[in-house]
Amino acid sequence: MSVSATIDDVWTAFVATRSANLRDELITQYAPLVRFVVGRLGIPPTSLLDAEDLVGYGMIGLINAIDRFDPSRGIRFEAFATARIRGAVIDQL
């Protein structure tokens, strides 16, 4: 079984049950996306903001994206989550 089929199965089960364990699995799977998006924002590290703080804000955006995502709309999750992650970081700035 391929990785994408497994992720699709996790999404299907999560949408049906809203299980906390499946949610945690999705968060773990998509955590690297947060670091990628935060890195692409080009926010220079300052004494006020640590890079890990920005990643933490991005994780909040990722969790919101997972909770609000509807796979039946035909949009890739990565595209949906990128805007949410970016928005969560910018909101905290």
Side-chain angles (χ1 to χ4, degrees):
M1 181 177 274
S2 70
V3 173
S4 64
T6 303
I7 293 302
D8 290 341
D9 294 341
V10 172
W11 271 114
T12 303
F14 177 71
V15 168
T17 63
R18 295 292 177 184
S19 165
N21 291 336
L22 293 174
R23 181 179 183 224
D24 291 344
E25 190 174 333
L26 289 169
I27 291 169
T28 303
Q29 178 68 31
Y30 290 108
L33 180 63
V34 174
R35 286 200 179 275
F36 176 76
V37 172
V38 169
R40 299 283 296 179
L41 285 174
I43 300 170
T46 65
S47 61
L48 299 175
L49 289 173
D50 186 28
E52 292 302 314
D53 291 335
L54 297 176
V55 171
Y57 300 142
M59 288 300 286
I60 293 170
L62 175 66
I63 293 168
N64 275 336
I66 288 171
D67 288 340
R68 296 176 188 269
F69 183 63
D70 182 7
S72 67
R73 292 188 176 217
I75 300 171
R76 290 187 55 224
F77 176 74
E78 291 84 353
F80 180 78
T82 297
R84 293 266 180 189
I85 294 166
R86 183 181 298 124
V89 172
I90 291 171
D91 284 349
Q92 294 300 320
L93 294 176

